[in-house]
Coordinates of all heavy atoms in Angstrom, one line a residue:
I1 N 8.7 -12.7 -6.2 CA 9.7 -12.4 -7.1 C 10.7 -13.6 -7.2 O 10.9 -14.3 -6.2 CB 10.5 -11.1 -6.6 CG1 11.3 -10.5 -7.7 CG2 11.3 -11.4 -5.4 CD1 11.8 -9.1 -7.5
S2 N 11.2 -13.8 -8.4 CA 12.0 -15.0 -8.6 C 13.3 -14.8 -7.9 O 13.8 -13.7 -7.6 CB 12.3 -15.1 -10.2 OG 13.4 -16.0 -10.4
S3 N 13.9 -16.0 -7.5 CA 15.2 -16.0 -6.8 C 16.3 -15.5 -7.7 O 17.4 -15.1 -7.2 CB 15.5 -17.4 -6.3 OG 15.6 -18.3 -7.4
D4 N 16.1 -15.4 -9.0 CA 17.1 -14.9 -9.9 C 17.1 -13.4 -10.0 O 17.9 -12.8 -10.7 CB 16.8 -15.5 -11.3 CG 17.0 -17.0 -11.4 OD1 17.9 -17.5 -10.7 OD2 16.2 -17.6 -12.0
V5 N 16.2 -12.7 -9.3 CA 16.0 -11.3 -9.4 C 16.3 -10.7 -8.0 O 15.8 -11.2 -7.0 CB 14.6 -10.9 -9.8 CG1 14.4 -9.4 -9.8 CG2 14.2 -11.5 -11.2
S6 N 17.2 -9.7 -8.0 CA 17.5 -9.0 -6.7 C 16.7 -7.7 -6.6 O 16.6 -6.9 -7.5 CB 19.0 -8.6 -6.7 OG 19.8 -9.8 -6.8
L7 N 16.1 -7.6 -5.4 CA 15.2 -6.5 -5.1 C 16.1 -5.3 -4.6 O 16.9 -5.5 -3.6 CB 14.2 -6.8 -4.1 CG 13.1 -5.8 -3.7 CD1 12.2 -5.5 -4.9 CD2 12.3 -6.3 -2.5
L8 N 16.0 -4.1 -5.2 CA 16.8 -3.0 -4.8 C 16.0 -2.0 -4.0 O 16.5 -1.2 -3.2 CB 17.4 -2.3 -6.0 CG 18.3 -3.2 -6.9 CD1 18.9 -2.4 -8.0 CD2 19.4 -3.8 -6.0
T9 N 14.7 -2.0 -4.2 CA 13.8 -1.1 -3.4 C 13.6 -1.6 -2.0 O 13.6 -2.8 -1.8 CB 12.4 -1.0 -4.1 OG1 12.5 -0.5 -5.4 CG2 11.4 -0.1 -3.4
D10 N 13.5 -0.7 -1.0 CA 13.3 -1.1 0.4 C 12.1 -2.0 0.5 O 11.0 -1.7 0.1 CB 13.1 0.2 1.2 CG 13.0 -0.1 2.7 OD1 13.0 -1.3 3.1 OD2 12.7 0.8 3.5
S11 N 12.4 -3.2 1.1 CA 11.3 -4.2 1.1 C 10.2 -3.8 2.1 O 9.1 -4.4 2.0 CB 11.9 -5.6 1.6 OG 12.5 -5.4 2.9
E12 N 10.4 -2.9 2.9 CA 9.3 -2.4 3.9 C 8.5 -1.3 3.3 O 7.5 -0.9 4.0 CB 10.0 -2.0 5.2 CG 10.5 -3.1 6.0 CD 9.5 -4.2 6.3 OE1 8.5 -3.9 6.9 OE2 9.7 -5.4 6.0
S13 N 8.8 -0.8 2.1 CA 8.0 0.3 1.5 C 6.6 -0.2 1.2 O 6.4 -1.3 0.7 CB 8.7 0.7 0.2 OG 10.0 1.3 0.5
I14 N 5.6 0.6 1.5 CA 4.2 0.3 1.3 C 3.9 0.5 -0.2 O 4.2 1.6 -0.7 CB 3.3 1.1 2.2 CG1 3.5 0.8 3.7 CG2 1.8 0.9 1.8 CD1 2.8 1.6 4.6
V15 N 3.3 -0.5 -0.8 CA 2.9 -0.4 -2.2 C 1.4 -0.1 -2.3 O 1.0 0.7 -3.1 CB 3.2 -1.7 -2.9 CG1 2.8 -1.6 -4.4 CG2 4.7 -2.0 -2.8
V16 N 0.6 -0.8 -1.5 CA -0.9 -0.7 -1.6 C -1.5 -0.6 -0.2 O -1.1 -1.4 0.7 CB -1.5 -1.8 -2.4 CG1 -3.0 -1.7 -2.4 CG2 -1.0 -1.9 -3.8
R17 N -2.5 0.3 0.0 CA -3.3 0.2 1.2 C -4.7 0.5 0.8 O -5.0 1.1 -0.3 CB -2.8 1.3 2.2 CG -2.8 2.7 1.8 CD -2.7 3.7 2.9 NE -2.0 3.3 4.1 CZ -0.7 3.7 4.3 NH1 -0.1 4.5 3.5 NH2 -0.1 3.3 5.4
I18 N -5.7 0.2 1.6 CA -7.1 0.5 1.3 C -7.5 1.7 2.1 O -7.4 1.7 3.4 CB -8.0 -0.7 1.6 CG1 -7.6 -1.9 0.9 CG2 -9.4 -0.3 1.3 CD1 -7.6 -1.8 -0.6
S19 N -7.9 2.8 1.5 CA -8.4 4.0 2.1 C -9.9 3.8 2.6 O -10.7 3.4 1.7 CB -8.3 5.2 1.2 OG -6.9 5.4 0.9
A20 N -10.1 4.0 3.8 CA -11.5 3.9 4.3 C -12.4 4.9 3.7 O -12.0 6.0 3.4 CB -11.5 4.0 5.8
P21 N -13.7 4.7 3.6 CA -14.6 5.7 3.1 C -14.7 6.9 4.0 O -14.6 6.7 5.2 CB -16.0 4.9 3.1 CG -15.7 3.5 3.1 CD -14.4 3.4 3.9
R22 N -14.8 8.0 3.4 CA -14.9 9.2 4.3 C -16.4 9.4 4.6 O -17.2 9.4 3.7 CB -14.4 10.5 3.5 CG -14.4 11.7 4.4 CD -13.7 12.9 3.7 NE -14.3 13.3 2.5 CZ -13.7 13.2 1.3 NH1 -12.5 12.7 1.2 NH2 -14.3 13.6 0.2
R23 N -16.7 9.6 5.8 CA -18.1 9.7 6.2 C -18.5 11.2 6.6 O -17.8 11.8 7.3 CB -18.4 8.8 7.4 CG -18.1 7.4 7.1 CD -18.5 6.4 8.2 NE -18.1 5.0 7.9 CZ -18.9 4.2 7.2 NH1 -20.0 4.7 6.7 NH2 -18.5 3.0 6.9
T24 N -19.6 11.6 6.0 CA -20.1 13.0 6.3 C -21.5 12.9 6.9 O -22.2 11.9 6.5 CB -20.1 13.8 5.0 OG1 -20.9 13.2 4.1 CG2 -18.7 14.0 4.5
G25 N -21.9 13.8 7.7 CA -23.2 13.7 8.3 C -24.1 14.8 7.8 O -23.7 15.9 7.6
T26 N -25.4 14.4 7.6 CA -26.4 15.4 7.2 C -27.6 15.1 8.1 O -27.8 14.1 8.7 CB -26.9 15.2 5.7 OG1 -27.4 13.8 5.6 CG2 -25.7 15.3 4.8
T27 N -28.4 16.1 8.2 CA -29.6 16.1 9.1 C -30.9 15.9 8.3 O -31.1 16.6 7.3 CB -29.7 17.3 9.9 OG1 -28.5 17.5 10.7 CG2 -30.9 17.2 10.9

């Protein structure tokens, strides 16, 4: 973000994460 812009949202807030694949078992 530019130095001319002030951030108002909490800087520690998570924006993106990667969800792991859900694994199911079959026989």
Side-chain angles (χ1 to χ4, degrees):
I1 195 167
S2 168
S3 59
D4 297 320
V5 179
S6 299
L7 186 64
L8 302 182
T9 300
D10 183 0
S11 62
E12 290 302 305
S13 297
I14 295 175
V15 180
V16 176
R17 57 163 36 101
I18 303 300
S19 298
R22 184 171 62 244
R23 301 183 183 279
T24 60
T26 60
T27 303

